[in-house]
Amino acid sequence: MDFGEDASGYANMDAANFWYQLVGAVVCVLCAAFAAGLTVGLMSLDPLELEVKRRVGTPDERKHAEKICPLIARHHRLLVTLLLFNSIANEALPIFLSGLVPGYVAVLLSVTAILIFGEIIPSALFTGPNQIVMAARFSGCVLFLMGLFWPIAYPIAHVLDRWLGHNSFKRYTREELSTLVDLQREAGTIKHRRPPGTPGGGVGTGIYAHSAKEKELGESMRAITVDEATIVAGVLKCHAKKICDALKPMDEVYTLCENDVLDENMLCEIMACGFSRIPVHSARGRQDIRGFLLVKRLIVLDPADRRPVRTLPLRQPIVVGPTGSLLELINVFQEGRSHMAIVSSCPDLTRQALRTGKPLEGRIAPIGIITLEDLFEEILQEEIYDEHDDRVCGFFVLAGMTLSSPFHAVPLFPPPPFLKILH
């Protein structure tokens, strides 16, 4: 095609500088595309995400993150370098085009070429699914440009660092972390729920009953499961939850009176209740807790002795306030003194009354109890069903018992003789 050298202003292909100017224009567009794509691609990377991939990612992810992290750490210097390179390419393009086409055509071609080939396409490529891979591949070129433009970029970046500060990791609050876990679960896993009628999700329902597609997805994406996300969210929410949110009121607690006689019927009733620790109160009332009884100590008792509860050693209860944090209570339980605590509005006065043997009444009376199992249920955000809960119906029919409330077992008739074997 022969443009000719007429008044239209188009260059002649046979001219000596035609190919030089054409190659220069193409190089300017490519350099602008390279700078614009890397500016968007590198600046949009999260330093925290890169650090996570550098530590726990796949071998390829770790290798790519190792190359990118030094660049991201010098945030302002990288930004100034790429913008300088982009500006030089954009300003040089009209100079080369003006020698090929008239001025107004050069402006149109410059805007069109920079917009489509120098901005839109490279930005889409460098921010696509292979963003980290693309950034890692061109990290060497970026380091070369940072060294080339160091005399100009370093002073500007130094001023920006002093004025705006360095780029640091984003810090998440508990609520943000909990929401982030939920979003990752929704985006990366197939939600699975326990089938109706299997509250505990035994073997074959909670572990082995996942579909093949879900297993494949979990292995390929290393995505967290619903249960994992629920536990993480429960732990993060425990800091804001108070003891009063998880306690059991005293009128719902199964207790023993210190004057109760441990005969055959009483021992069967204690066994049927299914608790490992039972609060013991005085004859003055249910709220006058004197301690709690470890049920495992009853295994050596003979029902024929008919021993009163007060003759057995009782554990001194832990006393906590209703406004305390659940996480703080976990630390208290970790000390090993007890896995059960009574909750009182005036914990200091209640402790003093327990030490001196004064009755717990009025404002120092306990308002409820809380156990280690209650804390685990708050963390798991699900009910914990033990062996007793799984066979509750069959066991009570066998022992001749019925439930008047979730925490009270009342004998309907004396147990059959063969139950004596359990004593």
Side-chain angles (χ1 to χ4, degrees):
M1 178 177 181
D2 188 0
F3 290 99
E5 294 184 357
D6 51 18
S8 62
Y10 289 97
N12 193 333
M13 294 182 61
D14 297 331
N17 61 347
F18 173 82
W19 294 107
Y20 164 75
Q21 292 174 337
L22 181 61
V23 172
V26 173
V27 171
C28 287
V29 173
L30 293 177
C31 290
F34 175 78
L38 283 176
T39 302
V40 177
L42 288 174
M43 293 296 103
S44 61
L45 288 174
D46 185 9
L48 180 59
E49 179 185 358
L50 286 176
E51 185 64 23
V52 170
K53 291 185 179 297
R54 189 179 69 85
R55 296 186 182 187
V56 297
T58 62
D60 290 338
E61 290 176 343
R62 294 180 183 181
K63 180 177 65 176
H64 297 329
E66 288 285 352
K67 294 181 179 179
I68 302 174
C69 282
L71 302 178
I72 300 297
R74 293 171 282 185
H75 178 78
H76 289 131
R77 185 178 167 189
L78 173 64
L79 178 63
V80 173
T81 299
L82 293 177
L83 291 180
L84 280 174
F85 188 51
N86 190 26
S87 298
I88 292 174
N90 290 336
E91 296 298 330
L93 179 60
I95 298 177
F96 291 102
L97 289 178
S98 62
L100 298 174
V101 293
Y104 69 94
V105 179
V107 172
L108 293 177
L109 289 178
S110 176
V111 172
T112 303
I114 291 298
L115 179 62
I116 298 177
F117 300 103
E119 295 288 346
I120 296 177
I121 294 179
S123 297
L125 289 175
F126 280 88
T127 58
N130 298 322
Q131 181 179 7
I132 296 179
V133 178
M134 297 283 289
R137 287 178 179 175
F138 291 99
S139 59
C141 298
V142 175
L143 285 174
F144 172 77
L145 291 176
M146 293 177 69
L148 181 64
F149 291 104
W150 183 88
I152 302 175
Y154 179 78
I156 299 175
H158 181 71
V159 173
L160 292 175
D161 289 338
R162 297 291 299 271
W163 183 24
L164 301 176
H166 294 275
N167 191 29
S168 58
F169 293 156
K170 176 178 173 56
R171 297 180 179 180
Y172 293 97
T173 63
R174 293 182 182 87
E175 293 76 12
E176 290 174 339
L177 278 176
S178 178
T179 304
L180 182 62
V181 171
D182 290 337
L183 292 176
Q184 291 295 316
R185 178 198 63 191
E186 295 171 3
T189 64
I190 301 175
K191 297 181 180 179
H192 58 278
R193 293 285 186 247
R194 296 186 178 97
T198 56
V203 177
T205 59
I207 300 177
Y208 302 106
H210 304 303
S211 63
K213 183 178 180 181
E214 181 180 0
K215 289 183 178 180
E216 180 182 357
L217 182 62
E219 293 174 357
S220 61
M221 299 182 63
R222 293 170 297 154
I224 60 176
T225 63
V226 175
D227 290 336
E228 291 170 340
T230 303
I231 293 174
V232 172
V235 172
L236 294 174
K237 293 176 182 177
C238 269
H239 182 82
K241 288 186 177 181
K242 305 300 180 183
I243 294 176
C244 59
D245 298 328
L247 63 81
K248 291 182 176 66
M250 286 302 302
D251 57 354
E252 298 181 0
V253 178
Y254 178 77
T255 61
L256 293 175
C257 180
E258 61 183 2
N259 294 331
D260 289 339
V261 177
L262 296 173
D263 56 8
E264 190 175 33
N265 288 338
M266 180 57 67
L267 289 175
C268 285
E269 179 181 336
I270 292 174
M271 181 179 62
C273 75
F275 300 119
S276 60
R277 295 165 177 83
I278 301 176
V280 178
H281 62 83
S282 68
R284 288 184 289 263
R286 287 172 50 85
Q287 291 187 325
D288 188 20
I289 302 296
R290 297 291 92 192
F292 62 88
L293 176 66
L294 292 178
V295 176
K296 65 182 180 180
R297 292 183 176 178
L298 302 179
I299 195 172
V300 297
L301 296 184
D302 185 357
D305 294 340
R306 298 177 58 84
R307 293 183 58 179
V309 176
R310 63 175 176 270
T311 62
L312 300 178
L314 302 179
R315 294 295 298 269
Q316 191 73 8
I318 298 174
V319 183
V320 295
T323 58
S325 171
L326 292 182
L327 287 182
E328 296 174 357
L329 184 58
I330 292 178
N331 295 330
V332 174
F333 283 155
Q334 283 180 330
E335 296 176 1
R337 291 186 297 158
S338 174
H339 289 172
M340 175 184 290
I342 62 175
V343 185
S344 173
S345 301
C346 304
D348 294 333
L349 297 177
T350 303
R351 294 190 197 99
Q352 184 178 359
L354 285 172
R355 286 193 297 266
T356 58
K358 294 181 179 180
L360 303 183
E361 54 187 6
R363 64 192 184 100
I364 67 173
I367 60 178
I369 66 167
I370 187 169
T371 65
L372 187 61
E373 182 177 337
D374 297 327
L375 295 181
F376 285 153
E377 288 178 347
E378 290 295 326
I379 293 175
L380 298 176
Q381 301 187 72
E382 294 180 350
E383 291 291 331
I384 297 177
Y385 297 90
D386 55 20
E387 297 86 349
H388 171 78
D389 298 324
D390 289 340
R391 59 187 182 189
V392 61
C393 297
F395 180 79
F396 282 136
V397 171
L398 174 65
M401 312 291 284
T402 184
L403 283 177
S404 59
S405 73
F407 298 94
H408 275 281
V410 181
L412 291 178
F413 47 83
F418 65 85
L419 281 181
K420 295 181 180 180
I421 301 175
L422 299 176
H423 302 299

